[in-house]
């Protein structure tokens, strides 16, 4: 590699490191009984692990390398756009526009060939039309739901998210494959049993 290309890659990796500073609404339980907010980089790692574990469980063969690339890049736009909470209608209404503008900035920091490759992976994830993109979407939504269960539904209750509110987001993930229906269904059962949703009796 040329010195200029090496420098550009290192500069981009430094930019990408800022994803660790983007906080999500999901909470991480700590050993002392408190919680802290999950960051988007942690989410991407956990999503990737979900993908590795689920790749052999689904009926349709998927290209795991493509899925992991999407896992790595799908939230890089949040460096500029911030995280848009899934259950915040106002944030969701402007998310696509803000994230597309952010993608123009973030991916432009790379050499053109790498910019095109990473932008294409981000676009594939956003479009959700390929088997890999649908699988990645299901992993993404399963991870977010899992994080809420691990933290006993704290963010759900803080933001008034009742179980029916989650259905439009989670049903498409469950429909990807029976394996995702089983995984997410088990999470719903745990959440319901634990009274984790807003308005739950417990």
């Amino acid at each position: 590699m040329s010195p200029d290309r090496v420098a550009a890659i290192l500069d981009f990796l430094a930019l990408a490191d800022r994803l660790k500073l983007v906080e999500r609404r999901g909470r991480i339980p700590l050993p002392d009984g408190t919680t802290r907010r999950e960051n988007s980089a942690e989410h991407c790692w956990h999503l990737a692990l979900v993908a590795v574990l689920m790749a052999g469980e689904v009926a349709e063969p998927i290209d795991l390398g493509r899925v992991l690339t999407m896992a790595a890049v799908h939230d890089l736009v949040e460096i500029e756009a911030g995280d848009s909470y899934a259950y915040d209608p106002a944030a969701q209404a402007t998310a696509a526009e803000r994230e597309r503008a952010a993608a123009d900035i973030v991916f432009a920091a790379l050499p053109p060939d790498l910019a095109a490759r990473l932008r294409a992976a981000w676009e594939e994830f956003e479009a959700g039309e390929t088997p890999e993109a649908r699988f990645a979407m299901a992993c993404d939504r399963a991870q977010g739901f899992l994080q809420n269960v691990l933290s006993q539904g704290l963010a759900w209750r803080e933001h008034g998210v009742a179980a029916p509110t989650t259905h439009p987001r989670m049903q498409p993930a469950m429909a990807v494959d029976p394996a995702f229906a089983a995984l997410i269904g088990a999470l719903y059962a745990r959440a319901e049993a634990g009274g984790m949703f807003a308005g739950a009796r417990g």
Side-chain angles (χ1 to χ4, degrees):
M1 287 192 292
S2 71
D4 286 348
R5 187 173 180 84
V6 169
I9 290 172
L10 290 176
D11 287 347
F12 181 78
L13 289 171
L15 172 66
D17 193 62
R18 289 168 45 196
L19 195 62
K20 297 171 185 175
L21 304 177
V22 178
E23 290 188 332
R24 294 165 56 85
R25 302 293 177 90
R27 310 291 299 193
I28 294 177
L30 301 176
D32 65 0
T34 63
T35 65
R36 67 168 175 83
R37 287 175 68 173
E38 178 189 36
N39 69 54
S40 287
E42 291 168 328
H43 158 70
C44 291
W45 160 77
H46 215 187
L47 185 171
L49 188 57
V50 172
V52 169
L53 295 175
M54 294 297 287
E57 305 297 326
V58 296
E60 186 172 11
I62 56 111
D63 181 336
L64 184 58
R66 279 174 58 197
V67 171
L68 293 178
T69 299
M70 284 186 262
V73 306
H74 81 289
D75 275 345
L76 285 175
V77 296
E78 293 182 0
I79 293 167
E80 293 290 336
D83 178 63
S84 298
Y85 186 48
Y87 304 109
D88 179 346
Q92 287 299 317
T94 63
E97 181 180 351
R98 287 185 291 105
E99 290 179 357
R100 187 158 296 280
D104 292 340
I105 296 168
V106 171
F107 296 119
L110 281 164
D113 61 315
L114 292 177
R117 189 172 71 172
L118 268 63
R119 177 72 181 248
W122 180 77
E123 297 276 7
E124 180 179 358
F125 180 86
E126 290 297 308
E129 295 174 353
T130 65
E132 285 76 15
R134 289 191 293 272
F135 178 91
M137 174 275 292
C139 293
D140 179 44
R141 296 186 184 185
Q143 190 282 333
F145 200 95
L146 169 64
Q147 198 63 52
N148 277 289
V149 171
L150 292 176
S151 59
Q152 302 299 306
L154 181 58
W156 284 330
R157 294 193 306 277
E158 284 178 343
H159 299 286
V161 178
T165 306
T166 68
H167 294 164
R169 179 170 179 80
M170 300 311 298
Q171 286 299 327
M174 296 176 79
V176 166
D177 187 273
F180 281 108
L183 185 76
I184 296 167
L187 288 171
Y188 266 110
R190 292 184 185 189
E192 296 280 8
M196 298 180 191
F197 292 108
R201 298 183 182 184

